[in-house]
Amino acid sequence: GAGVSQTPSNKVTEKGKYVELRCDPISGHTALYWYRQSLGQGPEFLIYFQGTGAADDSGLPNDRFFAVRPEGSVSTLKIQRTERGDSAVYLCASSLREGARVNEQFFGPGTRLTVL
Amino acid sequence: EDQVTQSPEALRLQEGESSSLNCSYTVSGLRGLFWYRQDPGKGPEFLFTLYSAGEEKEKERLKATLTKKESFLHITAPKPEDSATYLCAVQAYNTDKLIFGTGTRLQVFP
């Protein structure tokens, strides 16, 4: 596809359950980012991948959150033992990162997670 | 600590009434400043990247400018389809993450 895609678009789960959110980046983009956006706020950084490895995971709030990108393309954000405070829109972005040059990040439509 | 503050929080304009949105920032070495547009229920849509003070970029009715402390998004003769939330973000040296402000919610009515 032409843009970043995310599935599912909506996810409703119960407190304590495990969820997986998927991101398909723009073809050829080497860098992939996860952000979280709460109502009325700007996106908040969670984790960044360059290729298959997590280059910066400083934004993950705690060890219930984990993300993988095993083949350097699709990424999955995994949340264990979900809490009501995890409810937010989870945004994925990708960029064609080339050395130190600044590259724009292009965002997907997001996954709206609701924890009941 | 790197930080972005946007003002006003909300802005209502009549169609054709030009105005400006402000983005004030503090960052430990600016690598780039970004403007995004976000429509309800959608992800942010990239508009501009600014790299250094004095730089300006334009796209249709939008013009972004940058100083050492702030950026402005000027909207000339807005139309109702310009209604959206406009987000500002900064990227510091030695990091790839974007630090966003809380956005300005713009409404343009006929």
Side-chain angles (χ1 to χ4, degrees):
Chain A
V4 177
S5 62
Q6 293 186 244
T7 55
S9 55
N10 280 284
K11 176 70 176 178
V12 180
T13 191
E14 294 180 342
K15 181 176 177 297
K17 299 289 188 181
Y18 168 84
V19 297
E20 289 190 352
L21 312 179
R22 176 187 166 109
C23 173
D24 270 281
I26 293 171
S27 178
H29 278 192
T30 56
L32 185 147
Y33 310 81
W34 285 99
Y35 292 82
R36 177 169 72 173
Q37 187 174 26
S38 300
L39 194 63
Q41 302 296 311
E44 178 187 23
F45 171 77
L46 295 176
I47 186 170
Y48 149 59
F49 288 89
Q50 178 61 29
T52 60
D56 182 355
D57 65 357
S58 62
L60 294 178
N62 51 60
D63 62 6
R64 295 187 298 105
F65 289 74
F66 189 71
V68 295
R69 195 186 185 200
E71 297 178 358
S73 179
V74 170
S75 176
T76 304
L77 179 66
K78 308 180 181 192
I79 310 175
Q80 298 178 322
R81 304 183 303 281
T82 52
E83 300 178 357
R84 293 193 180 88
D86 299 334
S87 297
V89 175
Y90 289 80
L91 294 164
C92 177
S94 70
S95 74
L96 184 62
R97 195 183 188 286
E98 295 171 324
R101 181 179 175 275
V102 174
N103 290 287
E104 296 78 17
Q105 296 179 21
F106 296 92
F107 284 81
T111 293
R112 181 176 297 279
L113 176 66
T114 303
V115 182
L116 301 176
Chain B
E1 182 184 347
D2 299 338
Q3 189 170 302
V4 175
T5 303
Q6 292 189 246
S7 62
E9 289 186 6
L11 182 62
R12 284 171 56 88
L13 298 174
Q14 183 120 35
E15 184 171 3
E17 179 187 1
S18 301
S19 187
S20 296
L21 282 53
N22 177 265
C23 170
S24 298
Y25 65 90
T26 54
V27 65
S28 53
L30 181 69
R31 191 175 178 193
L33 184 141
F34 303 81
W35 282 99
Y36 286 85
R37 169 191 171 129
Q38 187 171 30
D39 293 295
K42 297 191 176 181
E45 175 189 344
F46 171 76
L47 292 174
F48 302 110
T49 308
L50 300 167
Y51 300 96
S52 58
E55 189 175 2
E56 299 183 352
K57 287 194 176 172
E58 287 189 66
K59 180 181 179 180
E60 295 181 356
R61 295 177 293 283
L62 301 177
K63 178 178 165 180
T65 62
L66 181 65
T67 73
K68 288 186 178 179
K69 293 183 178 180
E70 57 192 350
S71 177
F72 290 94
L73 186 65
H74 307 278
I75 303 177
T76 302
K79 298 182 178 182
E81 53 261 42
D82 294 323
S83 298
T85 295
Y86 290 85
L87 294 164
C88 173
V90 296
Q91 187 179 63
Y93 281 114
N94 299 320
T95 180
D96 278 69
K97 66 183 179 184
L98 296 180
I99 297 171
F100 282 87
T102 54
T104 293
R105 190 172 64 255
L106 174 67
Q107 287 181 288
V108 182
F109 53 95

